[in-house]
Amino acid sequence: MKKLIFLLLFFPIIFFAQKVQIKKDKVIVEGNEVAVVISPYQDHYDFYNLKNQKMFEVDLKGVDLAREQFMHYLELKSNDGKTTQIPYEVLVTSLKVDRIIAHQLTVKYQLFNQNGIDQSKLAEFFNEPRENLADKYNQMKANSFADESGRQERLSNIKTRYNPRLGKGGEILFNNGNYPAKIAGYARAYECSGFSPSPCMEIWDLDNIKIAAMFPSNKGIRTYLVKTYDGNEFLFDINRTYASSDYVFVTELVAQLILEGYTLEHQAYYKDLELQNAKIQDAVARSINLYDVPGYVIDKNGKKTEGYLTVWFEQLDVNKTGQRLPTEFADRYGQDVMVKTPLPANSMKTKTYNADSGIQFCVKSDDGTEDCYYGMSVKGELMKKLQNYGDLYGNNAYFYRLIKKEKEIMLLQDPVELHKYVIKTNSQAKGQMLDNRSNEKLSEKLAEYLNDCKKISEELKNESLDLRNEENQLYILKEYAKCKN
């Protein structure tokens, strides 16, 4: 999907009364989990109730009216095949599209409330007649392109404003009445043949970025195909045939490029920088990393240090590849927590703790709850250890999120690879990893790990517990705690 042009609309203050959040795929309204949202692919969102029943799906779509103008809308589909379209409205400040959608569906259409998905509101929503926004926006697009006279007027204004010229060395000069003219880029002309894949002409900017290349087209000898650096294409019509020494031809092409939104100089560099920054911000919003969140650290001696915590659990997936952890070099994500402690005169003291130092840290949520993480090495994780050793890196301690703590034993989870759990007893330095290995193998390893509790160890040896079931994991904790009473 192209760059979003957000239209900030104003509605009665009642629309903004409810607080809607997305946390680990859960839709949360006023602190209550009410639904689940899953995005199996880009710009598509499936909404489930808390019983894992799919209720409806949403697609974010749009129509490109013209350069830098994009009309977005949401297309919703019910379980019985009904579809409807509504404008995409940004009613909350957020980089997460799923939160923006959930917020809009809550505050404007009341599809979610504190008790879950409102079935009656959902039925009313899909039964209400609405205009087809795809047809509407496509008609607007057709109208915008039909205004050829307006296009010619804009082109004339561009020639007046920029007055593009070609220097003796191929320099593209802009001269709007100021002297001397400024260099905006360079033109490189070549022999032009309809039988060659090579371009007839290239336009470069001041940062040595090839902005456009012009080729012959199959639309006639005076119509050329122009391909731009960012993947766009357009036809360039001119009332003269190409000649590499024709200065007028070059200036007409430059004027056409400006009309299409390419103004040379340093524009491409700054646009790419802006796009990259937007991608990074989006990747930050999608990641589970923690950045300067309030919390505290407790070291192995029991000393508590409060401050602002930063933890990189995963690499930033800027290009949405789905890869969250490195596979070709040592995995150092989830091993360090940096704590900033306020000092007088608005300064900060920064200290970094490693997972192998035996610390725990907790982060505080807006609702007053805490998520706690413990640093440790584990038994298991052979492939990750081989990956680390292959990169000459011997630290295999990571932070794991606490799920449940009983007397002398804890159940934890890998923050990134959620199918991986860890059971850790106070009597052992390492935890026992429960991962994708067979239940038989996991039961054998866990029985050995918990051999100081005969009852649960024997039960595990009999393979009577599915260790991928979290209820069974919590049962193991309770039974082990009984052994220690």
Side-chain angles (χ1 to χ4, degrees):
M1 185 66 68
K2 295 185 179 180
K3 183 175 69 177
L4 301 181
I5 304 299
F6 292 148
L7 302 179
L8 301 180
L9 305 180
F10 295 93
F11 293 91
I13 193 67
I14 189 173
F15 283 162
F16 299 91
Q18 290 183 296
K19 184 176 182 180
V20 183
Q21 296 176 307
I22 302 290
K23 187 175 182 181
K24 297 177 182 177
D25 296 334
K26 295 292 195 312
V27 180
I28 300 174
V29 177
E30 294 297 333
N32 297 319
E33 294 182 358
V34 301
V36 176
V37 57
I38 303 295
S39 179
Y41 52 89
Q42 186 172 350
D43 299 324
H44 179 89
Y45 304 88
D46 293 326
F47 286 85
Y48 296 77
N49 62 19
L50 295 181
K51 295 180 181 180
N52 203 31
Q53 298 170 322
K54 184 176 176 181
M55 305 303 292
F56 61 92
E57 57 188 63
V58 182
D59 286 286
L60 174 59
K61 296 184 176 183
V63 176
D64 190 356
L65 299 186
R67 185 171 297 278
E68 306 295 339
Q69 188 179 6
F70 210 83
M71 300 297 292
H72 287 86
Y73 62 94
L74 300 178
E75 184 172 278
L76 295 91
K77 183 178 181 180
S78 67
N79 282 341
D80 57 1
K82 294 179 180 178
T83 62
T84 189
Q85 296 173 352
I86 59 176
Y88 176 59
E89 301 170 8
V90 182
L91 307 178
V92 64
T93 303
S94 177
L95 292 174
K96 296 184 176 181
V97 175
D98 53 358
R99 185 189 173 201
I100 293 172
I101 293 174
H103 189 276
Q104 178 183 351
L105 296 180
T106 302
V107 302
K108 190 168 184 182
Y109 299 94
Q110 294 86 50
L111 298 191
F112 302 101
N113 57 41
Q114 297 182 45
N115 299 317
I117 298 176
D118 191 323
Q119 298 276 22
S120 62
K121 291 288 186 182
L122 190 63
E124 291 176 11
F125 177 84
F126 279 104
N127 287 329
E128 181 178 338
R130 294 185 179 88
E131 65 181 333
N132 187 304
L133 295 179
D135 290 346
K136 176 182 177 179
Y137 295 155
N138 278 311
Q139 184 59 50
M140 291 169 61
K141 178 178 181 178
N143 292 340
S144 67
F145 283 105
D147 188 10
E148 180 61 24
S149 62
R151 178 182 174 279
Q152 290 300 325
E153 182 179 354
R154 294 195 303 274
L155 190 59
S156 177
N157 291 336
I158 285 170
K159 292 177 181 179
T160 301
R161 177 182 174 186
Y162 290 90
N163 193 18
R165 293 288 182 267
L166 190 65
K168 293 181 180 180
E171 305 93 346
I172 297 171
L173 306 173
F174 288 167
N175 183 349
N176 58 354
N178 297 322
Y179 293 91
K182 63 180 179 180
I183 300 176
Y186 299 89
R188 300 176 185 175
Y190 310 99
E191 293 300 322
C192 195
S193 170
F195 303 99
S196 172
S198 301
C200 306
M201 182 181 297
E202 295 173 344
I203 304 297
W204 295 70
D205 70 5
L206 298 180
D207 298 303
N208 205 32
I209 298 174
K210 184 169 65 175
I211 300 300
M214 188 193 76
F215 302 84
S217 77
N218 58 2
K219 304 295 183 181
I221 60 173
R222 293 176 180 171
T223 299
Y224 299 85
L225 175 65
V226 180
K227 298 181 179 181
T228 62
Y229 77 101
D230 53 356
N232 289 328
E233 296 183 1
F234 63 87
L235 293 175
F236 170 49
D237 294 305
I238 187 170
N239 60 359
R240 58 204 301 139
T241 55
Y242 170 78
S244 59
S245 59
D246 188 346
Y247 285 12
V248 175
F249 191 103
V250 178
T251 57
E252 289 289 334
L253 175 59
V254 171
Q256 184 72 37
L257 279 170
I258 296 173
L259 178 65
E260 295 290 331
Y262 301 93
T263 56
L264 305 183
E265 299 186 78
H266 302 287
Q267 182 205 36
Y269 170 80
Y270 287 113
K271 275 200 169 185
D272 284 347
L273 188 62
E274 180 184 352
L275 177 61
Q276 188 64 18
N277 287 337
K279 285 184 176 181
I280 291 173
Q281 291 178 27
D282 175 63
V284 167
R286 287 186 285 106
S287 79
I288 63 168
N289 297 333
L290 305 174
Y291 303 96
D292 287 332
V293 296
Y296 58 87
V297 169
I298 299 177
D299 66 20
K300 61 182 180 181
N301 298 319
K303 180 182 177 182
K304 182 177 180 180
T305 302
E306 296 202 38
Y308 298 95
L309 280 54
T310 295
V311 187
W312 284 68
F313 288 116
E314 60 182 358
Q315 62 190 20
L316 290 182
D317 187 10
V318 175
N319 296 315
K320 297 185 178 181
T321 64
Q323 184 174 336
R324 304 173 69 186
L325 295 173
T327 56
E328 298 179 355
F329 51 87
D331 178 11
R332 306 189 185 201
Y333 292 93
Q335 290 195 326
D336 297 293
V337 54
M338 183 177 70
V339 184
K340 293 180 181 178
T341 306
L343 294 175
N346 294 322
S347 60
M348 286 281 186
K349 176 184 176 182
T350 301
K351 185 174 181 179
T352 300
Y353 299 84
N354 192 273
D356 65 1
S357 62
I359 72 156
Q360 70 176 87
F361 70 86
C362 298
V363 296
K364 302 175 182 179
S365 301
D366 294 339
D367 58 5
T369 60
E370 294 182 350
D371 267 339
C372 294
Y373 300 79
Y374 287 75
M376 67 187 73
S377 295
V378 298
K379 297 180 179 181
E381 288 278 75
L382 176 61
M383 295 306 297
K384 180 174 285 192
K385 291 173 182 175
L386 291 176
Q387 176 182 326
N388 289 349
Y389 292 143
D391 204 40
L392 303 179
Y393 184 68
N395 185 358
N396 293 302
Y398 296 88
F399 287 109
Y400 298 92
R401 185 177 68 86
L402 178 67
I403 295 178
K404 184 70 175 179
K405 188 175 185 179
E406 297 281 358
K407 182 178 180 181
E408 303 291 329
I409 191 169
M410 296 184 293
L411 175 65
L412 308 104
Q413 186 180 34
D414 189 301
V416 179
E417 300 176 287
L418 299 180
H419 64 281
K420 294 182 178 181
Y421 291 84
V422 174
I423 288 181
K424 169 72 169 62
T425 65
N426 290 1
S427 61
Q428 301 191 57
K430 295 184 177 182
Q432 176 61 55
M433 171 68 73
L434 305 179
D435 50 24
N436 280 335
R437 287 172 289 175
S438 69
N439 198 65
E440 178 182 3
K441 178 62 70 175
L442 291 177
S443 298
E444 175 188 338
K445 294 297 182 182
L446 189 57
E448 179 182 344
Y449 183 77
L450 301 178
N451 60 13
D452 56 341
C453 179
K454 183 176 180 181
K455 178 182 181 302
I456 198 67
S457 181
E458 290 297 325
E459 194 169 348
L460 287 165
K461 289 178 182 178
N462 294 330
E463 295 184 50
S464 58
L465 295 173
D466 178 5
L467 295 182
R468 293 186 180 86
N469 185 305
E470 191 170 303
E471 290 184 5
N472 290 338
Q473 296 166 358
L474 295 174
Y475 165 77
I476 291 171
L477 259 66
K478 291 181 179 179
E479 292 301 312
Y480 184 88
K482 290 179 183 177
C483 287
K484 297 303 175 181
N485 285 336

